[in-house]
Amino acid sequence: MRPSVIRVNYGIQRSDGGGMAMRAVTMLPCLIGSWKELGGGLQLSTSGAFGLNTEALKMPELMQNPWDVPPASSTWCNWAAHSTL
């Protein structure tokens, strides 16, 4: 028998009867015995399981403006201030 895992998220309990649905889903690994196997059972979230380097994802070097072009919002403000409409 291969281990089986159920990964639930935070949406199941946000509906009518969601609490009872979550309890029923939680019992499935108990009924088939997969909670005893390595890699089996139930998982709510994997967000803390891996070390994610969020600073490396931000890449601040891409935020630099190599052509010194002002952002669109400041261009609009300058145009609006000098407009003769």
Side-chain angles (χ1 to χ4, degrees):
M1 178 202 289
R2 293 176 53 187
S4 128
V5 67
I6 298 172
R7 183 180 179 272
V8 293
N9 214 336
Y10 299 102
I12 190 171
Q13 72 272 19
R14 294 183 179 165
S15 61
D16 291 340
M20 186 54 76
M22 182 67 175
R23 287 188 282 279
V25 169
T26 302
M27 292 307 297
L28 290 173
C30 297
L31 293 172
I32 65 170
S34 69
W35 63 273
K36 297 183 281 184
E37 306 294 327
L38 182 64
L42 185 95
Q43 177 73 41
L44 175 62
S45 174
T46 58
S47 62
F50 305 100
L52 181 63
N53 185 353
T54 56
E55 291 301 316
L57 293 175
K58 293 179 184 176
M59 296 186 70
E61 64 273 11
L62 295 179
M63 299 300 291
Q64 297 172 358
N65 191 347
W67 297 288
D68 291 324
V69 177
S73 60
S74 70
T75 302
W76 169 254
C77 293
N78 289 338
W79 177 82
H82 299 298
S83 177
T84 57
L85 291 178

